[in-house]
């Protein structure tokens, strides 16, 4: 199965994109994607099996947990020192 990491789009964005694609379809030939498949691909991984997917999920969860732990450490260490953590937004 083909695997990628992606971000789902909201219904409003998909609706707007579908309307624009319908207008383009009348003048520009091409392979248009069904509205239900609209997303932003962050990383294409390629072909893998169920075991590979389980490993990918574990890796993603570990990365997110690590990022949250770092952010909490950063925020708490600055608050203890009496500093306002003004750089927290740019940490990502």
């Amino acid at each position: 199965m083909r695997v990628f990491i992606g971000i789902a789009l909201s219904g409003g964005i998909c609706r707007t994109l579908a309307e624009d694609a319908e207008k383009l379809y009348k003048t520009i030939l091409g392979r248009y994607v069904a509205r239900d498949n609209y997303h932003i691909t962050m990383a294409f991984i390629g072909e893998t099996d169920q075991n590979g997917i389980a490993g990918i999920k574990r890796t993603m969860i570990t990365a997110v947990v690590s990022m949250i732990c770092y952010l909490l450490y950063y925020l708490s260490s600055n608050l203890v020192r009496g500093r306002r953590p003004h750089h927290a937004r740019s940490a990502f």
Side-chain angles (χ1 to χ4, degrees):
M1 114 184 25
R2 292 168 47 104
V3 178
F4 64 90
I5 298 171
I7 299 172
L9 301 174
S10 71
I13 292 173
C14 288
R15 190 171 28 262
T16 301
L17 290 172
E19 290 168 1
D20 291 345
E22 188 176 327
K23 293 173 191 170
L24 289 172
Y25 184 75
K26 296 173 184 174
T27 57
I28 300 175
L29 296 176
R31 187 177 73 96
Y32 289 81
V33 176
R35 178 175 157 181
D36 293 342
N37 292 332
Y38 288 175
H39 64 276
I40 297 172
T41 300
M42 301 304 292
F44 179 72
I45 296 168
E47 293 290 329
T48 191
D49 58 12
Q50 288 294 347
N51 292 331
I53 291 173
I56 292 165
K57 285 181 180 179
R58 282 192 303 275
T59 301
M60 289 178 64
I61 289 169
T62 300
V64 170
V65 169
S66 297
M67 187 171 47
I68 290 170
C69 289
Y70 172 76
L71 180 60
L72 291 174
Y73 170 78
Y74 174 80
L75 292 173
S76 65
S77 64
N78 278 300
L79 291 174
V80 167
R81 292 185 190 125
R83 296 184 201 153
R84 185 171 158 255
H86 59 279
H87 295 294
R89 285 190 208 148
S90 63
F92 302 101

